[in-house]
């Protein structure tokens, strides 16, 4: 399938960023987790228990993967399939900021090009996001 063209935009809040991510991917929900695993923004169909546990697990999974294969380089995305949905965690970090994970709950897989463009969009906007 042909990947949709994603135009780089400027965001000043995490809420604006995850709203764009949701509309660009048809995700049902999105959330942002800081480097300690705390959810700092969420949007969409949020489960009753929230995303705190999922966010912390994503951070742990990423840290474990980096320990298993440190020579593989930085992890940019973790994509897990469950039931009829996927949870996709985009790792966004720069030299000046600690890592953040933007998680999407999506009904279908995203192509590698789309994943790369979303990661690029988030990382480009990191200095602007509060």
């Amino acid at each position: 399938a042909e990947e949709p063209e994603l135009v780089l935009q400027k965001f000043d809040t995490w809420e604006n960023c995850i709203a764009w991510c949701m509309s660009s991917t048809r995700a049902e929900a999105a959330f942002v987790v800081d480097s300690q695993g705390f959810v700092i923004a969420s949007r969409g169909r949020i489960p009753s228990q929230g995303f705190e546990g999922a966010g912390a697990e994503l951070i742990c999974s990423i840290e474990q993967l980096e320990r298993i294969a440190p020579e593989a380089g930085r992890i940019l995305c973790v994509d897990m399939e469950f039931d009829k949905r996927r949870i996709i965690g985009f790792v966004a970090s720069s030299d000046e900021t600690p890592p953040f994970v933007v998680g999407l709950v999506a009904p279908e897989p995203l192509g590698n090009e789309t994943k790369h463009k979303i990661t690029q969009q988030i990382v480009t906007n990191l200095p602007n996001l509060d």
Side-chain angles (χ1 to χ4, degrees):
E2 190 173 317
E3 297 291 336
E5 185 65 31
L6 300 177
V7 178
L8 287 179
Q9 298 181 24
K10 188 172 182 176
F11 304 120
D12 56 358
T13 66
W14 281 112
E15 288 77 14
N16 291 339
C17 180
I18 61 177
W20 175 85
C21 289
M22 287 179 67
S23 67
S24 298
T25 62
R26 299 184 323 139
E28 299 172 6
F31 57 96
V32 182
V33 182
D34 68 12
S35 60
Q36 297 177 340
F38 295 110
V39 175
I40 59 172
S42 61
R43 181 181 198 90
R45 296 179 59 192
I46 301 168
S48 60
Q49 68 273 19
F51 287 114
E52 281 74 15
E57 291 295 330
L58 275 174
I59 294 290
C60 288
S61 297
I62 291 163
E63 289 173 353
Q64 288 298 320
L65 288 170
E66 288 173 341
R67 284 187 201 122
I68 291 169
E71 71 282 352
R74 275 188 14 200
I75 294 174
L76 299 176
C77 182
V78 176
D79 188 346
M80 296 175 279
E81 183 176 351
F82 66 97
D83 195 23
K84 296 176 183 164
R85 293 181 182 84
R86 305 183 82 76
I87 188 163
I88 305 165
F90 296 92
V91 182
S93 64
S94 69
D95 294 336
E96 298 83 36
T97 62
F100 292 90
V101 174
V102 175
L104 300 178
V105 178
E108 56 193 39
L110 300 178
N112 288 334
E113 185 176 327
T114 299
K115 289 177 185 176
H116 178 72
K117 288 178 181 179
I118 290 172
T119 302
Q120 181 182 9
Q121 174 79 288
I122 297 166
V123 170
T124 300
N125 277 286
L126 272 179
N128 310 325
L129 298 170
D130 55 19

